Amino acid sequence: MIRIERITDRHLNALCELEEKLFDASSFPLSRRAFSYHIKGKGILLGAFEGETLAGYILVFMYTKSGRVYSLGVAPEFRRKGIASMLMERAQEIVMGRRKSTLRLEVRSDNLQARKLYNELGFVIEKTLPAYYPDGADGLKMVKTLS
Ligand SMILES: CC(C)(COP(=O)(O)OP(=O)(O)OC[C@H]1O[C@@H](n2cnc3c(N)ncnc32)[C@H](O)[C@@H]1OP(=O)(O)O)[C@@H](O)C(=O)NCCC(=O)NCCS
């Protein structure tokens, strides 16, 4: 069974190992120092756990009127089980509870699986971000209005 819980300092090693599996230099991976900062920050950092194993995580930044999904990832062996959807839905509830009206995110335009996920979760493309990523790939800014 998967549990969604806040990530704390004791999960830092597992989180850094997961990040290494998920993102290479072309996708802005987060450093240990950055995770450590976000654990204490005002954003939302949630993990999906099976037992003690960290299967996935989501990091959402909070702005005045909106939230921004900065990162979302699920370990390869846990994919297609609905974990990213669970993380996103839980984060979205928290964002709504903090009275924000929109949720935004950026995704590589060539990341078709993530785009399909976001599409199904109700995000729409707001604009294209030409050559947004370090390797020159375009990005898409997507938005969802929370009700
Ligand atoms: C994208 C990612 C987060 C999806 O995680 P996940 O837990 O497998 O996603 P879910 O199981 O919640 O998928 C929900 C829906 O999204 C779509 N989807 C997810 N992965 C997909 C894939 N590989 N191919 C096609 N559709 C996919 C499907 O519609 C899926 O529903 P279904 O399984 O009933 O068909 C995961 O593949 C990942 O971590 N990728 C690498 C990191 C990354 O790209 N993060 C996003 C950066 S913006």
mmCIF file of all heavy atoms in Angstrom, residues 62-87:
data_model
loop_
_atom_site.group_PDB
_atom_site.id
_atom_site.type_symbol
_atom_site.label_atom_id
_atom_site.label_comp_id
_atom_site.label_asym_id
_atom_site.label_seq_id
_atom_site.Cartn_x
_atom_site.Cartn_y
_atom_site.Cartn_z
ATOM 1 N N MET A 62 5.075 27.722 -3.421
ATOM 2 C CA MET A 62 3.873 28.505 -3.174
ATOM 3 C C MET A 62 4.150 29.976 -3.460
ATOM 4 O O MET A 62 5.089 30.547 -2.905
ATOM 5 C CB MET A 62 3.430 28.348 -1.719
ATOM 6 C CG MET A 62 3.151 26.917 -1.312
ATOM 7 S SD MET A 62 1.878 26.107 -2.278
ATOM 8 C CE MET A 62 0.464 26.885 -1.569
ATOM 9 N N TYR A 63 3.330 30.549 -4.321
ATOM 10 C CA TYR A 63 3.402 31.985 -4.599
ATOM 11 C C TYR A 63 2.150 32.649 -4.027
ATOM 12 O O TYR A 63 1.321 31.976 -3.412
ATOM 13 C CB TYR A 63 3.517 32.225 -6.108
ATOM 14 C CG TYR A 63 4.731 31.552 -6.727
ATOM 15 C CD1 TYR A 63 4.636 30.846 -7.908
ATOM 16 C CD2 TYR A 63 5.977 31.628 -6.095
ATOM 17 C CE1 TYR A 63 5.747 30.232 -8.483
ATOM 18 C CE2 TYR A 63 7.088 31.011 -6.665
ATOM 19 C CZ TYR A 63 6.972 30.316 -7.851
ATOM 20 O OH TYR A 63 8.069 29.708 -8.401
ATOM 21 N N THR A 64 2.004 33.960 -4.252
ATOM 22 C CA THR A 64 0.899 34.679 -3.610
ATOM 23 C C THR A 64 -0.457 34.093 -3.998
ATOM 24 O O THR A 64 -1.287 33.816 -3.138
ATOM 25 C CB THR A 64 0.950 36.172 -4.002
ATOM 26 O OG1 THR A 64 2.284 36.602 -3.826
ATOM 27 C CG2 THR A 64 0.034 36.999 -3.127
ATOM 28 N N LYS A 65 -0.654 33.907 -5.309
ATOM 29 C CA LYS A 65 -1.973 33.438 -5.739
ATOM 30 C C LYS A 65 -1.971 32.035 -6.331
ATOM 31 O O LYS A 65 -3.017 31.509 -6.671
ATOM 32 C CB LYS A 65 -2.521 34.395 -6.803
ATOM 33 C CG LYS A 65 -2.843 35.771 -6.249
ATOM 34 C CD LYS A 65 -3.527 36.599 -7.293
ATOM 35 C CE LYS A 65 -3.856 37.959 -6.734
ATOM 36 N NZ LYS A 65 -4.069 38.960 -7.743
ATOM 37 N N SER A 66 -0.792 31.486 -6.514
ATOM 38 C CA SER A 66 -0.745 30.200 -7.219
ATOM 39 C C SER A 66 0.310 29.273 -6.622
ATOM 40 O O SER A 66 1.172 29.704 -5.846
ATOM 41 C CB SER A 66 -0.437 30.444 -8.698
ATOM 42 O OG SER A 66 0.823 31.055 -8.807
ATOM 43 N N GLY A 67 0.194 28.013 -7.007
ATOM 44 C CA GLY A 67 1.229 27.044 -6.679
ATOM 45 C C GLY A 67 1.948 26.674 -7.967
ATOM 46 O O GLY A 67 1.398 26.829 -9.062
ATOM 47 N N ARG A 68 3.179 26.202 -7.847
ATOM 48 C CA ARG A 68 3.932 25.779 -9.031
ATOM 49 C C ARG A 68 4.577 24.428 -8.743
ATOM 50 O O ARG A 68 5.387 24.316 -7.813
ATOM 51 C CB ARG A 68 5.012 26.810 -9.351
ATOM 52 C CG ARG A 68 5.937 26.389 -10.473
ATOM 53 C CD ARG A 68 6.998 27.443 -10.675
ATOM 54 N NE ARG A 68 8.025 27.016 -11.596
ATOM 55 C CZ ARG A 68 9.283 27.425 -11.552
ATOM 56 N NH1 ARG A 68 9.680 28.296 -10.616
ATOM 57 N NH2 ARG A 68 10.161 26.994 -12.419
ATOM 58 N N VAL A 69 4.181 23.437 -9.517
ATOM 59 C CA VAL A 69 4.789 22.119 -9.354
ATOM 60 C C VAL A 69 6.195 22.213 -9.935
ATOM 61 O O VAL A 69 6.365 22.299 -11.147
ATOM 62 C CB VAL A 69 3.981 21.027 -10.092
ATOM 63 C CG1 VAL A 69 4.636 19.666 -9.903
ATOM 64 C CG2 VAL A 69 2.542 21.016 -9.609
ATOM 65 N N TYR A 70 7.184 22.226 -9.067
ATOM 66 C CA TYR A 70 8.560 22.377 -9.549
ATOM 67 C C TYR A 70 9.135 21.028 -9.976
ATOM 68 O O TYR A 70 9.913 20.951 -10.915
ATOM 69 C CB TYR A 70 9.430 23.017 -8.462
ATOM 70 C CG TYR A 70 10.813 23.290 -8.977
ATOM 71 C CD1 TYR A 70 11.058 24.414 -9.765
ATOM 72 C CD2 TYR A 70 11.862 22.412 -8.733
ATOM 73 C CE1 TYR A 70 12.312 24.652 -10.293
ATOM 74 C CE2 TYR A 70 13.126 22.643 -9.250
ATOM 75 C CZ TYR A 70 13.341 23.768 -10.029
ATOM 76 O OH TYR A 70 14.581 23.989 -10.554
ATOM 77 N N SER A 71 8.748 19.960 -9.275
ATOM 78 C CA SER A 71 9.282 18.650 -9.631
ATOM 79 C C SER A 71 8.314 17.541 -9.217
ATOM 80 O O SER A 71 7.640 17.651 -8.190
ATOM 81 C CB SER A 71 10.645 18.449 -8.955
ATOM 82 O OG SER A 71 11.268 17.289 -9.458
ATOM 83 N N LEU A 72 8.286 16.504 -10.034
ATOM 84 C CA LEU A 72 7.453 15.329 -9.758
ATOM 85 C C LEU A 72 8.145 14.136 -10.380
ATOM 86 O O LEU A 72 8.568 14.206 -11.545
ATOM 87 C CB LEU A 72 6.075 15.520 -10.407
ATOM 88 C CG LEU A 72 5.141 14.308 -10.432
ATOM 89 C CD1 LEU A 72 4.687 13.936 -9.019
ATOM 90 C CD2 LEU A 72 3.906 14.597 -11.284
ATOM 91 N N GLY A 73 8.297 13.074 -9.637
ATOM 92 C CA GLY A 73 8.928 11.892 -10.221
ATOM 93 C C GLY A 73 8.584 10.634 -9.436
ATOM 94 O O GLY A 73 8.352 10.680 -8.223
ATOM 95 N N VAL A 74 8.565 9.525 -10.165
ATOM 96 C CA VAL A 74 8.283 8.222 -9.565
ATOM 97 C C VAL A 74 9.370 7.257 -10.046
ATOM 98 O O VAL A 74 9.730 7.254 -11.245
ATOM 99 C CB VAL A 74 6.869 7.737 -10.004
ATOM 100 C CG1 VAL A 74 6.615 6.306 -9.557
ATOM 101 C CG2 VAL A 74 5.794 8.676 -9.449
ATOM 102 N N ALA A 75 9.913 6.465 -9.122
ATOM 103 C CA ALA A 75 10.972 5.500 -9.477
ATOM 104 C C ALA A 75 10.453 4.555 -10.554
ATOM 105 O O ALA A 75 9.281 4.149 -10.518
ATOM 106 C CB ALA A 75 11.377 4.714 -8.230
ATOM 107 N N PRO A 76 11.325 4.181 -11.517
ATOM 108 C CA PRO A 76 10.882 3.352 -12.645
ATOM 109 C C PRO A 76 10.098 2.106 -12.239
ATOM 110 O O PRO A 76 9.096 1.767 -12.855
ATOM 111 C CB PRO A 76 12.197 2.982 -13.344
ATOM 112 C CG PRO A 76 13.129 4.097 -13.000
ATOM 113 C CD PRO A 76 12.731 4.571 -11.624
ATOM 114 N N GLU A 77 10.532 1.451 -11.153
ATOM 115 C CA GLU A 77 9.865 0.195 -10.771
ATOM 116 C C GLU A 77 8.481 0.402 -10.160
ATOM 117 O O GLU A 77 7.753 -0.557 -9.926
ATOM 118 C CB GLU A 77 10.771 -0.620 -9.830
ATOM 119 C CG GLU A 77 11.124 0.014 -8.503
ATOM 120 C CD GLU A 77 12.355 0.936 -8.544
ATOM 121 O OE1 GLU A 77 12.664 1.519 -9.601
ATOM 122 O OE2 GLU A 77 12.990 1.081 -7.480
ATOM 123 N N PHE A 78 8.108 1.667 -9.897
ATOM 124 C CA PHE A 78 6.795 1.941 -9.293
ATOM 125 C C PHE A 78 5.844 2.655 -10.263
ATOM 126 O O PHE A 78 4.779 3.099 -9.860
ATOM 127 C CB PHE A 78 6.969 2.817 -8.044
ATOM 128 C CG PHE A 78 7.490 2.069 -6.844
ATOM 129 C CD1 PHE A 78 8.834 2.151 -6.499
ATOM 130 C CD2 PHE A 78 6.644 1.296 -6.061
ATOM 131 C CE1 PHE A 78 9.322 1.469 -5.389
ATOM 132 C CE2 PHE A 78 7.119 0.610 -4.959
ATOM 133 C CZ PHE A 78 8.458 0.696 -4.619
ATOM 134 N N ARG A 79 6.254 2.768 -11.528
ATOM 135 C CA ARG A 79 5.435 3.569 -12.457
ATOM 136 C C ARG A 79 4.167 2.853 -12.916
ATOM 137 O O ARG A 79 4.056 1.650 -12.820
ATOM 138 C CB ARG A 79 6.290 3.984 -13.664
ATOM 139 C CG ARG A 79 7.258 5.059 -13.249
ATOM 140 C CD ARG A 79 8.095 5.583 -14.394
ATOM 141 N NE ARG A 79 9.156 6.430 -13.823
ATOM 142 C CZ ARG A 79 10.264 6.773 -14.448
ATOM 143 N NH1 ARG A 79 10.469 6.386 -15.683
ATOM 144 N NH2 ARG A 79 11.161 7.531 -13.836
ATOM 145 N N ARG A 80 3.236 3.638 -13.429
ATOM 146 C CA ARG A 80 1.937 3.179 -13.962
ATOM 147 C C ARG A 80 1.080 2.495 -12.904
ATOM 148 O O ARG A 80 0.301 1.609 -13.193
ATOM 149 C CB ARG A 80 2.114 2.243 -15.166
ATOM 150 C CG ARG A 80 2.835 2.867 -16.346
ATOM 151 C CD ARG A 80 2.269 4.164 -16.829
ATOM 152 N NE ARG A 80 1.016 4.106 -17.543
ATOM 153 C CZ ARG A 80 0.874 3.956 -18.849
ATOM 154 N NH1 ARG A 80 1.946 3.818 -19.600
ATOM 155 N NH2 ARG A 80 -0.316 3.959 -19.409
ATOM 156 N N LYS A 81 1.228 2.967 -11.653
ATOM 157 C CA LYS A 81 0.384 2.454 -10.563
ATOM 158 C C LYS A 81 -0.445 3.590 -9.969
ATOM 159 O O LYS A 81 -1.011 3.453 -8.891
ATOM 160 C CB LYS A 81 1.260 1.850 -9.451
ATOM 161 C CG LYS A 81 2.066 0.627 -9.851
ATOM 162 C CD LYS A 81 3.018 0.274 -8.707
ATOM 163 C CE LYS A 81 3.994 -0.813 -9.064
ATOM 164 N NZ LYS A 81 3.455 -2.146 -9.028
ATOM 165 N N GLY A 82 -0.418 4.736 -10.623
ATOM 166 C CA GLY A 82 -1.220 5.867 -10.133
ATOM 167 C C GLY A 82 -0.522 6.711 -9.075
ATOM 168 O O GLY A 82 -1.147 7.571 -8.446
ATOM 169 N N ILE A 83 0.789 6.490 -8.855
ATOM 170 C CA ILE A 83 1.465 7.191 -7.752
ATOM 171 C C ILE A 83 1.634 8.687 -8.057
ATOM 172 O O ILE A 83 1.378 9.536 -7.193
ATOM 173 C CB ILE A 83 2.819 6.508 -7.433
ATOM 174 C CG1 ILE A 83 2.554 5.102 -6.888
ATOM 175 C CG2 ILE A 83 3.634 7.343 -6.443
ATOM 176 C CD1 ILE A 83 3.791 4.288 -6.592
ATOM 177 N N ALA A 84 2.033 9.025 -9.282
ATOM 178 C CA ALA A 84 2.177 10.451 -9.620
ATOM 179 C C ALA A 84 0.826 11.157 -9.490
ATOM 180 O O ALA A 84 0.750 12.284 -8.976
ATOM 181 C CB ALA A 84 2.719 10.613 -11.040
ATOM 182 N N SER A 85 -0.226 10.486 -9.911
ATOM 183 C CA SER A 85 -1.561 11.081 -9.798
ATOM 184 C C SER A 85 -1.919 11.304 -8.330
ATOM 185 O O SER A 85 -2.457 12.357 -7.964
ATOM 186 C CB SER A 85 -2.610 10.178 -10.448
ATOM 187 O OG SER A 85 -2.191 9.790 -11.727
ATOM 188 N N MET A 86 -1.585 10.329 -7.466
ATOM 189 C CA MET A 86 -1.877 10.489 -6.027
ATOM 190 C C MET A 86 -1.105 11.655 -5.434
ATOM 191 O O MET A 86 -1.645 12.455 -4.663
ATOM 192 C CB MET A 86 -1.450 9.217 -5.268
ATOM 193 C CG MET A 86 -2.383 8.041 -5.415
ATOM 194 S SD MET A 86 -1.644 6.536 -4.700
ATOM 195 C CE MET A 86 -1.662 6.942 -2.966
ATOM 196 N N LEU A 87 0.182 11.759 -5.804
ATOM 197 C CA LEU A 87 1.012 12.847 -5.277
ATOM 198 C C LEU A 87 0.445 14.193 -5.713
ATOM 199 O O LEU A 87 0.337 15.137 -4.927
ATOM 200 C CB LEU A 87 2.456 12.697 -5.775
ATOM 201 C CG LEU A 87 3.295 11.641 -5.070
ATOM 202 C CD1 LEU A 87 4.531 11.302 -5.912
ATOM 203 C CD2 LEU A 87 3.718 12.114 -3.672
#
